[in-house]
Amino acid sequence: MNSFGHIIRLTTFGESHGPAMGGVLDGLPPRVYIDREALDAALARRRPGQQSLTSTRREPDTVEILSGVGPGSLSLGTPIGFIIRNRDARSGDYEAYEGRFRPNHADYTYWHKYGIHDFRGGGRASARETVSWVVGGALCSQWLQGAGISVRASFRETLPVAEAAAHGDSVGGVVEGRISGLPVGVGEPVFDKLHARLAYAMMSINAAKAFEYGDGFRSAEMTGSESADLFNTREGEPVCASNHSGGVQGGISNGMDVNFRVYFKPTPTIMQPMQSIDTEGNECVIPPKGRHDPCVAIRAVPVVEAMAWLTIADLMRMKG
């Protein structure tokens, strides 16, 4: 399944160590001004090699628009095709992984399903895939920001990343997101609830292990009186005095900020030898090689934002 969305639909292609990543975004309304510098700025936020606690892979990550944008940089309402070329894919760094299953990676399951083990950074299972998601999300943001909608995410450290990296280890982390300015009525019950679509989007991100919105997991330890969002009015409009619901009630936005959290596991590849097996079933050792993030959640922040933009854009088109 290489497509996301219903009316606004992103289809992506490419492998981590292929010539390019890319995608086609269909369904964006016509006459949206496409700021190409803003697209590159969005990509720069997820680009590796910018700090000591991220992968040392150095990609310029500039987007090339192939279709769907016309004179005046306005969207045509037709599919927007784009590519981001891979410039620093050093496949030789991964040769030691050939035929060996890295623990907690997609190596074994992809090999079992497709009969192919792409050891060069994991192929489409690589987080490099998310570069196309960021472009798709940035395109949607340029439409939705004009409607007063904003999406912001931030990283919350759960264990000292620098300390783990110094010992060749990795840690997990949390990305907290907030959608503001969303009108009342976004979300399509029964099976396309706003929070369900957000959960689907966020759990599609590499290394994501859990999703919650509003009070989330804490709700199971609260009473009804503690979690009630009582109504009052402000300037003649209904508002909630609190936001335990996270901006969603009955699967539909209620006009409050939509707040959520995405929990990420530790990076499965660490700079320590790890026991495993190969494609023949023989025991082997996975050597500490390659270029990896000691905490994937750090660079997941713009990806979380992108998937939120894509989700909201699609549901806004469905709302009409």
Side-chain angles (χ1 to χ4, degrees), residues 60-115:
D61 282 353
T62 55
V63 62
E64 301 174 36
I65 301 293
L66 305 178
S67 66
V69 179
S73 295
L74 297 178
S75 64
L76 300 175
T78 56
I80 300 176
F82 60 87
I83 61 171
I84 307 98
R85 299 187 187 277
N86 294 329
R87 305 290 189 185
D88 190 32
R90 299 189 334 226
S91 300
D93 290 354
Y94 296 84
E95 288 180 353
Y97 297 153
E98 185 173 7
R100 301 177 179 184
F101 301 131
R102 294 171 295 171
N104 284 31
H105 268 277
D107 294 350
Y108 170 70
T109 51
Y110 267 57
W111 174 78
H112 192 277
K113 185 175 182 68
Y114 300 109

Side-chain angles (χ1 to χ4, degrees), residues 26-308:
D26 201 2
L28 194 71
R31 302 193 60 77
V32 175
Y33 176 72
I34 304 301
D35 184 340
R36 300 188 189 220
E37 291 185 0
L39 297 181
D40 286 337
L43 285 173
R45 294 180 59 217
R46 76 154 298 283
R47 190 170 62 218
Q50 299 187 86
Q51 55 172 292
S52 60
L53 296 179
T54 62
S55 165
T56 57
R57 180 169 175 170
R58 295 190 177 276
E59 294 284 358
D61 282 353
T62 55
V63 62
E64 301 174 36
I65 301 293
L66 305 178
S67 66
V69 179
S73 295
L74 297 178
S75 64
L76 300 175
T78 56
I80 300 176
F82 60 87
I83 61 171
I84 307 98
R85 299 187 187 277
N86 294 329
R87 305 290 189 185
D88 190 32
R90 299 189 334 226
S91 300
D93 290 354
Y94 296 84
E95 288 180 353
Y97 297 153
E98 185 173 7
R100 301 177 179 184
F101 301 131
R102 294 171 295 171
N104 284 31
H105 268 277
D107 294 350
Y108 170 70
T109 51
Y110 267 57
W111 174 78
H112 192 277
K113 185 175 182 68
Y114 300 109
I116 297 173
H117 177 221
D118 192 344
F119 61 91
R120 308 164 305 150
R124 280 190 64 71
S126 168
R128 178 70 181 154
E129 155 71 10
T130 62
V131 71
S132 300
W133 308 2
V134 170
V135 175
L139 288 166
C140 290
S141 75
Q142 297 188 14
W143 169 47
L144 294 176
Q145 284 173 347
I149 298 171
S150 67
V151 174
R152 295 288 182 271
S154 59
F155 166 68
R156 177 161 63 83
E157 189 175 57
T158 54
L159 290 172
V161 181
E163 182 179 330
H167 291 88
D169 214 336
S170 64
V171 297
V174 180
V175 175
E176 299 177 334
R178 182 177 296 273
I179 304 169
S180 302
L182 200 63
V184 180
V186 178
E188 300 295 325
V190 170
F191 296 115
D192 266 338
K193 293 182 173 74
L194 171 55
H195 60 274
R197 288 290 301 278
L198 281 173
Y200 174 71
M202 300 307 157
M203 294 305 291
S204 299
I205 302 173
N206 309 63
K209 299 297 287 186
F211 169 86
E212 64 176 352
Y213 71 101
D215 285 338
F217 301 121
R218 194 164 66 92
S219 298
E221 301 171 350
M222 299 173 69
T223 64
S225 58
E226 289 174 327
S227 65
D229 290 324
L230 304 180
F231 283 104
N232 54 39
T233 59
R234 182 184 304 155
E235 298 179 357
E237 294 294 328
V239 294
C240 293
S242 57
N243 195 19
H244 298 289
S245 301
V248 186
Q249 292 171 334
I252 303 170
S253 62
N254 66 359
M256 303 290 285
D257 286 355
V258 176
N259 54 67
F260 60 91
R261 288 157 296 281
V262 189
Y263 295 77
F264 290 86
K265 71 178 182 180
T267 312
T269 298
I270 60 177
M271 293 298 100
Q272 298 176 16
M274 301 182 75
Q275 293 294 129
S276 189
I277 61 172
D278 61 22
T279 54
E280 302 298 324
N282 302 311
E283 293 186 358
C284 65
V285 174
I286 303 297
K289 286 182 171 292
R291 298 169 293 176
H292 309 281
D293 297 271
C295 178
V296 295
I298 295 174
R299 285 202 297 128
V301 169
V303 181
V304 166
E305 291 182 358
M307 294 309 288

